[in-house]
Amino acid sequence: MSNTYILGIESSCDETAAAVVRSGEQVISNVVASQIATHQLYGGVVPELASREHLRAIVPVVRQALAEAGKNYDSIDALAVTQGPGLAGALLVGISYAKALAFALEKLLIAVNHLEGHIHAVLLEERQKGNHDLSFPLLALVVSGGHTHLYLAEQRGESWSYENIGHTRDDAAGEAFDKVAKLLGLGYPGGPVIDRLAAHGNPRAVKFPPSQIKHPDRKTPTLSQKTRKDGAPEPGRKGGRPTSELVRPRFDFSYSGIKTAVLRYVKLRGLALSIEARKKALVGIAEPALEDYLANCDQLTLDLIASFQRAMVEDLVGKTLAAAREYDVATLFVSGGVAANNELRRTFEREGSREGLWVYFPSRPLSTDNAAMIAAAAYPKFLAGEFAEMDFSAQAGMVLK
Ligand code: KG4
Ligand code: ZN
């Protein structure tokens, strides 16, 4: 079928989203209802409130996505919904609604892994631009408020498979941005604010020690050590040692230490009072603009923010490019909320091109959580006939394979 319209539904965290995507390559509509205003008061996502907000938003958001696409339920070929990972109660809202719609309308239903969605956000937009020739093997960094994961992605026919070669041992990168912003009285979510303020500070002012990972050299068997049924060469390895002898290192991340280092710096420099004053001032402004943040940040704080962001970016880029070298990949995808970060994009583009890598990001609206990426990731499953049984449930800790 050349024109397949899939209605995607996403509710894994604090965004209720619905979108219509044609054949995994064209966004027809993309509606996102953010809950930021609800969670801002608490400085982070409150799961109970998230579920309640999803319940409120899901019906109007889905209807709006159909209306903006000029579609009705009859002209949709299939429904797709995020199965996990995410907040169980939040996921269940999207899943229950998608199941009810699929049952009542006799439509096919596809269950999608949220992380696969983030990867397919990049593929969707590249296809939309007419780029159908990506070089494999492909390395994907999914970096968001809940994840910092590195995957090797392969496509065989219509099926995609993923191998995790690294992930965070503690906090996700976006979580570190959010926690540091909260610590500095900058509100929630922290990533976008730090991104803008960092440009006004000196990124070399504060030195942060490199992240400490226990057993950094731990080697884990990868595809190479499992006997591959098809006898195909291991992805990324074009020659050299027999694949059965290869043992590859992992490329794990850790961001709880840098958060503690920021806290230590705040204490050392006696910044507590100015942080309290900033918090009070910003709470009084409905939607603070950059000028409001700048008016409430001294140079010491701006330098700390810039140095924190620089350390995060250097760690993310350094480890990802080391993995790209190890696995001899040609293409790199960077997606998830933190992929919206300006310095991260610039650094990946600069350093990636130095290494001869093709680096791709989603546009900013498709970097953060959305349902277009869920509808896009569902398309290959639609072609392969991989539909969900009606008794599937939310998987809060769903693994991508
Ligand atoms: O992908 P996403 O919308 O939701 C999750 O699946 O977590 O990512 C949200 C995360 C938050 O931690 C937010 O602070 C971070 O992405 N983020 C950013 C930027 N925009 C969003 N981090 C750094 N720089 C940004 N510009
Ligand atoms: Zn996400």
Side-chain angles (χ1 to χ4, degrees):
M1 203 186 297
S2 59
N3 281 331
T4 301
Y5 293 92
I6 298 183
L7 169 65
I9 296 175
E10 152 68 35
S11 68
S12 65
C13 190
D14 61 345
E15 257 105 25
T16 318
V20 176
V21 173
R22 184 185 62 78
S23 306
E25 63 177 35
Q26 189 191 2
V27 181
I28 310 293
S29 67
N30 185 29
V31 178
V32 180
S34 170
Q35 303 178 1
I36 284 177
T38 303
H39 302 290
Q40 226 155 23
L41 298 169
Y42 306 93
V45 179
V46 184
E48 280 298 308
L49 293 181
S51 308
R52 203 188 302 165
E53 290 294 310
H54 285 307
L55 278 171
R56 251 197 270 267
I58 191 93
V59 175
V61 164
V62 168
R63 287 190 182 153
Q64 191 182 338
L66 283 172
E68 286 184 13
K71 294 271 164 201
N72 54 35
Y73 288 117
D74 285 340
S75 50
I76 292 294
D77 296 292
L79 296 160
V81 67
T82 306
Q83 183 177 11
L87 302 169
L91 287 162
L92 275 173
V93 176
I95 292 173
S96 308
Y97 189 55
K99 276 187 186 178
L101 280 178
F103 181 73
L105 303 165
E106 298 185 356
K107 294 283 174 188
L108 296 162
L109 179 58
I110 300 160
V112 175
N113 185 305
H114 180 83
L115 299 172
E116 185 171 21
H118 276 302
I119 295 171
H120 280 256
V122 187
L123 285 164
L124 162 62
E125 291 195 309
E126 286 310 311
R127 292 198 186 109
Q128 197 156 285
K129 287 179 213 155
N131 178 8
H132 293 268
D133 298 318
L134 292 166
S135 302
F136 287 85
L138 187 161
L139 180 67
L141 170 68
V142 181
V143 60
S144 69
H147 302 94
T148 308
H149 281 47
L150 272 173
Y151 293 99
L152 279 178
E154 271 193 280
Q155 187 184 21
R156 284 171 187 274
E158 291 308 333
S159 290
W160 283 81
S161 60
Y162 308 88
E163 182 190 357
N164 181 269
I165 58 160
H167 57 73
T168 180
R169 301 278 186 93
D170 39 56
D171 291 352
E175 202 177 345
F177 272 92
D178 293 339
K179 285 179 175 170
V180 165
K182 188 176 178 185
L183 182 69
L184 298 178
L186 295 168
Y188 173 85
V193 182
I194 290 182
D195 190 353
R196 289 190 296 159
L197 290 178
H200 298 268
N202 172 6
R204 298 285 172 215
V206 186
K207 298 259 175 299
F208 291 106
S211 64
Q212 297 289 326
I213 295 184
K214 281 184 194 147
H215 317 300
D217 297 317
R218 198 187 68 189
K219 314 263 175 166
T220 41
T222 64
L223 278 185
S224 54
Q225 287 205 314
K226 301 169 199 158
T227 315
R228 289 179 59 136
K229 290 187 202 112
D230 56 6
E234 179 193 5
R237 185 54 62 174
K238 292 158 191 158
R241 288 177 289 164
T243 55
S244 59
E245 284 176 21
L246 282 171
V247 181
R248 294 270 176 80
R250 288 188 59 79
F251 294 88
D252 286 347
F253 305 86
S254 166
Y255 296 118
S256 65
I258 192 164
K259 178 193 64 193
T260 313
V262 172
L263 181 61
R264 215 177 299 127
Y265 186 86
V266 162
K267 284 189 179 149
L268 195 73
R269 294 301 183 115
L271 300 180
L273 283 178
S274 68
I275 289 172
E276 273 314 305
R278 180 179 315 123
K279 235 192 246 175
K280 271 198 196 127
L282 291 174
V283 159
I285 306 171
E287 280 183 27
L290 178 60
E291 293 68 41
D292 298 315
Y293 287 108
L294 286 172
N296 285 286
C297 286
D298 52 24
Q299 198 54 46
L300 202 65
T301 304
L302 291 171
D303 289 349
L304 174 61
I305 290 167
S307 303
F308 161 76
Q309 180 174 279
R310 171 63 61 91
M312 293 295 296
V313 166
E314 281 182 353
D315 189 80
L316 284 165
V317 174
K319 289 204 178 109
T320 304
L321 293 186
R325 279 191 294 273
E326 172 70 24
Y327 285 86
D328 198 12
V329 304
T331 306
L332 173 64
F333 281 13
V334 185
S335 63
V338 182
N341 186 273
N342 286 294
E343 190 179 336
L344 187 76
R345 285 182 180 235
R346 272 196 307 270
T347 313
F348 261 125
E349 267 158 12
R350 189 185 62 234
E351 300 298 318
S353 76
R354 250 182 223 163
E355 308 220 2
L357 266 178
W358 293 95
V359 184
Y360 300 94
F361 301 90
S363 63
R364 282 178 178 74
L366 288 205
S367 293
T368 46
D369 287 351
N370 65 87
M373 68 186 198
I374 301 303
Y379 182 60
K381 298 183 200 301
F382 179 90
L383 295 178
E386 290 171 27
F387 300 108
E389 298 295 335
M390 270 304 184
D391 61 356
F392 84 97
S393 192
Q395 273 189 38
M398 192 174 183
V399 171
L400 180 60
K401 296 187 278 211

